[in-house]
């Protein structure tokens, strides 16, 4: 019994949802911290609007996680549907973070820009541990969250901004490469675990068939060890010996 792609995909989806709760909450907390930090540097209406949008999407994602825990885990036929719902929420959340490069980026304060970069890089790096079960999830997340920032830096057309854009792009490339390796390891572990489970099922079926034949055979059957001691026999042998 080989592990099917559907079984692997279902396990990947389960891992995504199992580790989704904390990153979603941390994302909102990080956004709130960023808004507080930029409160005096950026239009407060933009800050509140951006935070409200991210909070709303995060609440919807938490709702999907809750629905999956009650319905999706027992619905193996629709794992593609649940995976798609996770990807949509993940991509929208990452896009809102990415849009911040054009809406709440602190243009005139280098110190606040440093804080902004730290939060963005932290969000990108933090997504790896929870999203690596699906390479589409982690790859899309890193792209949506970092490419707008790269574009923003390129538009300045200054040497420092071009250097920053290159460093962010390099960070994304290295992170995606590492995420792909982690994803492959996760898939291999899932395959090995399912193969082990399948082997146990096959062995159990074989043992049950053997026990059925052993118990119901019309002939007397016995088992003995290397020392010639009888260790088991079927009822037919007991009947034959008892009637002899």
């Amino acid at each position: 019994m080989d592990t099917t792609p559907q079984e692997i995909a279902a396990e990947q989806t389960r891992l995504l949802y199992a580790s989704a709760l904390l990153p979603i909450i941390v994302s909102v907390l990080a956004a709130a911290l960023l808004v507080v930090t930029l409160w005096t540097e950026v239009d407060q209406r933009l800050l509140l609007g951006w935070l409200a949008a991210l909070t709303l999407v995060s609440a919807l994602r938490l709702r999907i996680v809750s629905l999956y825990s009650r319905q999706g885990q027992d619905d193996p036929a629709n794992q593609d549907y649940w995976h798609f719902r996770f990807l949509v929420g993940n991509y929208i959340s990452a896009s809102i973070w990415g849009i911040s490069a054009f809406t709440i980026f602190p243009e005139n304060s280098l110190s606040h820009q440093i804080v902004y970069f730290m939060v963005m890089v932290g969000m990108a790096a933090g997504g790896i541990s929870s999203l690596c079960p699906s390479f589409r999830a982690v790859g899309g997340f890193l792209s949506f969250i970092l490419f707008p920032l790269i574009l923003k830096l390129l538009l300045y057309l200054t040497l420092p901004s071009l250097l920053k854009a290159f460093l962010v792009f390099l960070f994304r490339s290295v992170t995606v490469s590492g995420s792909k390796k982690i994803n492959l390891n996760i898939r291999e572990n899932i395959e090995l675990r399912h193969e082990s489970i399948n082997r146990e099922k096959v062995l159990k079926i074989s043992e049950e068939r053997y026990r059925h034949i052993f118990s119901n055979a019309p002939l007397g059957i016995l088992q003995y060890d290397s020392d010639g001691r009888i260790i088991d026999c079927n009822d037919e042998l007991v009947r034959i010996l008892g009637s002899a």
Side-chain angles (χ1 to χ4, degrees):
M1 299 174 63
D2 295 330
T3 304
T4 65
Q6 290 78 11
E7 289 176 326
I8 296 175
E11 182 68 12
Q12 289 176 301
T13 301
R14 187 192 67 79
L15 291 174
L16 282 175
Y17 278 96
S19 58
L21 180 61
L22 183 59
I24 294 174
I25 296 175
V26 169
S27 174
V28 175
L29 294 177
L33 177 62
L34 184 61
V35 166
V36 171
T37 303
L38 303 179
W39 190 254
T40 59
E41 297 295 324
V42 180
D43 188 330
Q44 295 172 2
R45 291 172 298 179
L46 290 175
L47 288 170
L48 292 176
W50 177 79
L51 179 60
L54 183 64
T55 302
L56 176 60
V57 171
S58 298
L60 293 175
R61 294 183 67 196
L62 290 175
R63 172 65 174 167
I64 294 174
V65 171
S66 176
L67 288 174
Y68 177 81
S69 65
R70 297 200 304 266
Q71 304 173 10
Q73 296 187 72
D74 300 323
D75 189 18
N78 291 320
Q79 290 304 300
D80 288 343
Y81 165 76
W82 289 104
H83 186 235
F84 175 77
R85 294 188 71 177
F86 184 94
L87 290 180
V88 170
N90 177 57
Y91 290 166
I92 294 176
S93 179
S95 296
I96 294 175
W97 274 101
I99 290 173
S100 68
F102 293 95
T103 55
I104 64 172
F105 185 79
E107 304 278 355
N108 302 317
S109 174
L110 179 60
S111 60
H112 287 84
Q113 288 181 16
I114 293 174
V115 173
Y116 176 85
F117 279 116
M118 290 177 61
V119 172
M120 293 296 288
V121 170
M123 285 300 305
I128 298 175
S129 60
S130 61
L131 298 175
C132 275
S134 169
F135 184 69
R136 285 199 295 168
V138 68
F141 179 81
L142 291 171
S143 297
F144 282 116
I145 200 172
L146 294 179
F147 276 145
L149 179 58
I150 294 172
L151 179 59
K152 173 73 173 181
L153 294 171
L154 291 175
L155 292 176
Y156 283 115
L157 296 177
T158 63
L159 182 59
S161 65
L162 294 176
L163 178 59
K164 292 175 185 177
F166 172 75
L167 291 175
V168 174
F169 179 79
L170 182 63
F171 168 77
R172 180 203 170 274
S173 300
V174 173
T175 305
V176 168
S177 177
S179 300
K180 188 172 184 179
K181 293 179 181 179
I182 296 174
N183 175 261
L184 290 175
N185 288 334
I186 291 175
R187 285 182 59 88
E188 289 175 356
N189 288 334
I190 292 174
E191 290 176 353
L192 289 174
R193 188 163 66 84
H194 276 269
E195 288 175 2
S196 176
I197 293 174
N198 289 336
R199 282 196 296 269
E200 290 179 0
K201 290 180 179 179
V202 171
L203 180 60
K204 183 177 180 180
I205 292 173
S206 299
E207 290 176 348
E208 290 175 350
R209 288 176 177 173
Y210 168 78
R211 178 53 58 182
H212 177 76
I213 295 173
F214 181 83
S215 301
N216 297 282
L219 302 175
I221 302 175
L222 61 84
Q223 293 180 336
Y224 55 90
D225 59 19
S226 58
D227 296 325
R229 291 175 297 187
I230 297 176
I231 58 177
D232 196 8
C233 66
N234 65 353
D235 294 339
E236 183 65 16
L237 180 64
V238 173
R239 188 190 65 79
I240 293 172
L241 294 177
S243 62

